[in-house]
Amino acid sequence: MDYELYHDESLEGGYWHGMLLVPVLNKQEFSDLLQKARNTTRFFHKLGIKNVDSRGRIYDCASAWSQIGIACLRSKQGKEKLSVFLGKEKGKPIVADVDLLGMKFILFRERDSHKELNGYRDYASKVETTFRFGLKGGLHFLGSDENPISITKIHFDGHEHYQREIDKARIVNRIYGLREYCHIADSPDLIDQRRSDHNDPQSQDYEDCQFLQLTDILIGCFRTALGYRTRDIHFLLSLPIKKWLLSRYNQGYARMKPSRWFNSFVLSQCYLKGNGEWKFERVERKSNEEEQLALPFL
């Protein structure tokens, strides 16, 4: 299946790469769901986890988007329909059943925020290297011979903070040993690295801006659910991820396999050991905070 990949990052407690894979076939339908939440919450500005600091329209929109994202990450329907929050009308929550499936999410953390990476020509090359690690490992984990993954487009949320443009050759040409069920297009326009503010005419197309912003929200919610919280209100946003995704993920592969989210997301990290060898492992929770699984989805 063809996917477009959306990348954003977080610098809280390490360097987190977030990569949202959106099936090209249903891209417009996914986008329509996000727009429905915008219309219901009446929030039409750029959406990002850093901007969610209190209750109100921006919180409602972020909450709706996180639940839509989680619902669309499912790999199968299951026996029960999944209802998500879309906002409020006259103070009453509006919910809707979500049938769309098939998005995938890769969260990859460089534990030491690239501080131990020496000998690289610039900061961007460090980011390109760990992005490549996360992408290759994520594709290998999420794809299979029966469910191949083909990346047709990669969207970065701007390049100015890297102090140069992303180098496609350092990503595509240096991914060695990619399995046969994984493919990345080598087209000249593979990477779109314009910004994600849909109100800025210099940014990417409107739909692509929405998916980049959704990636930002998902990184923040996953990171918070894993114990790397920056604001208390983000804890509330992360509760659906804790309940629906991490509850079984934390119990291991056998418990995850029957889940509706099996093979729809992967959480891993890397760090450079003292001998110069890379170490790769799954991301574990930072704290022993009790899971609040009894809380409702809304």
Side-chain angles (χ1 to χ4, degrees):
M1 180 180 287
D2 290 345
Y3 294 85
E4 292 191 34
L5 184 152
Y6 296 85
H7 174 272
D8 206 347
E9 63 203 5
S10 173
L11 308 181
E12 302 292 341
Y15 188 101
W16 304 79
H17 292 277
M19 309 175 206
L20 179 66
L21 277 60
V22 178
V24 174
L25 183 64
N26 304 113
K27 180 179 175 181
Q28 187 61 54
E29 294 176 80
F30 289 116
S31 177
D32 290 345
L33 266 178
L34 298 177
Q35 188 61 43
K36 185 178 293 187
R38 280 200 179 276
N39 295 339
T40 304
T41 59
R42 302 182 299 283
F43 185 81
F44 302 105
H45 302 292
K46 182 179 179 181
L47 187 60
I49 194 73
K50 292 181 180 178
N51 307 116
V52 182
D53 56 6
S54 62
R55 292 277 195 174
R57 291 182 182 179
I58 187 170
Y59 173 85
D60 286 346
C61 191
S63 179
W65 273 30
S66 66
Q67 294 185 38
I68 289 171
I70 293 166
C72 293
L73 282 176
R74 288 173 299 164
S75 54
K76 55 186 176 183
Q77 290 284 9
K79 296 180 180 179
E80 299 178 357
K81 292 196 174 190
L82 189 56
S83 297
V84 302
F85 171 74
L86 291 180
K88 298 176 182 177
E89 288 185 1
K90 297 181 180 180
K92 295 183 178 180
I94 303 299
V95 299
D97 293 336
V98 174
D99 296 323
L100 281 173
L101 309 172
M103 289 201 308
K104 297 179 183 294
F105 188 68
I106 300 168
L107 187 66
F108 186 70
R109 175 182 179 237
E110 202 289 301
R111 189 191 67 179
D112 301 315
S113 302
H114 298 133
K115 294 177 182 177
E116 303 300 320
L117 275 67
N118 301 314
Y120 288 77
R121 68 184 189 187
D122 54 20
Y123 175 68
S125 62
K126 298 178 182 181
V127 173
E128 290 161 348
T129 297
T130 55
F131 171 83
R132 191 171 67 239
F133 290 168
L135 177 59
K136 178 181 176 180
L139 294 182
H140 284 178
F141 182 86
L142 297 174
S144 65
D145 291 329
E146 295 75 26
N147 297 289
I149 297 176
S150 178
I151 304 298
T152 61
K153 193 83 174 179
I154 298 176
H155 303 263
F156 277 82
D157 187 2
H159 61 82
E160 293 81 2
H161 50 301
Y162 303 132
Q163 300 181 353
R164 68 165 171 81
E165 292 190 351
I166 293 294
D167 186 346
K168 178 174 73 72
R170 284 186 56 84
I171 294 175
V172 178
N173 297 349
R174 296 194 184 188
I175 296 186
Y176 305 115
L178 197 63
R179 295 175 184 169
E180 291 186 0
Y181 57 76
C182 307
H183 178 259
I184 302 173
D186 194 18
S187 55
D189 62 345
L190 171 69
I191 297 177
D192 189 338
Q193 46 193 304
R194 293 173 292 166
R195 294 186 294 274
S196 65
D197 186 351
H198 53 270
N199 293 315
D200 182 348
Q202 301 302 315
S203 291
Q204 300 190 31
D205 293 345
Y206 181 84
E207 289 78 10
D208 297 321
C209 287
Q210 306 312 295
F211 289 119
L212 283 169
Q213 293 171 42
L214 174 60
T215 305
D216 180 284
I217 293 295
L218 289 176
I219 296 172
C221 288
F222 269 100
R223 172 174 51 74
T224 299
L226 288 165
Y228 296 85
R229 187 194 315 183
T230 52
R231 289 179 178 158
D232 289 344
I233 199 164
H234 296 169
F235 176 76
L236 298 178
L237 285 178
S238 73
L239 289 178
I241 284 179
K242 289 166 67 69
K243 175 182 178 180
W244 293 99
L245 276 64
L246 296 189
S247 59
R248 289 191 176 181
Y249 170 83
N250 291 329
Q251 296 175 41
Y253 182 85
R255 284 287 293 160
M256 193 66 204
K257 195 169 183 180
S259 168
R260 290 175 284 178
W261 286 272
F262 179 66
N263 270 14
S264 63
F265 69 97
V266 57
L267 314 177
S268 59
Q269 67 179 5
C270 70
Y271 63 92
L272 200 58
K273 298 169 67 175
N275 60 2
E277 178 185 351
W278 283 102
K279 172 72 173 179
F280 297 89
E281 59 191 17
R282 61 181 257 151
V283 180
E284 303 293 347
R285 280 191 52 81
K286 181 181 178 182
S287 68
N288 294 321
E289 183 180 2
E290 292 185 0
E291 299 284 350
Q292 299 186 21
L293 299 182
L295 291 174
F297 188 61
L298 297 180

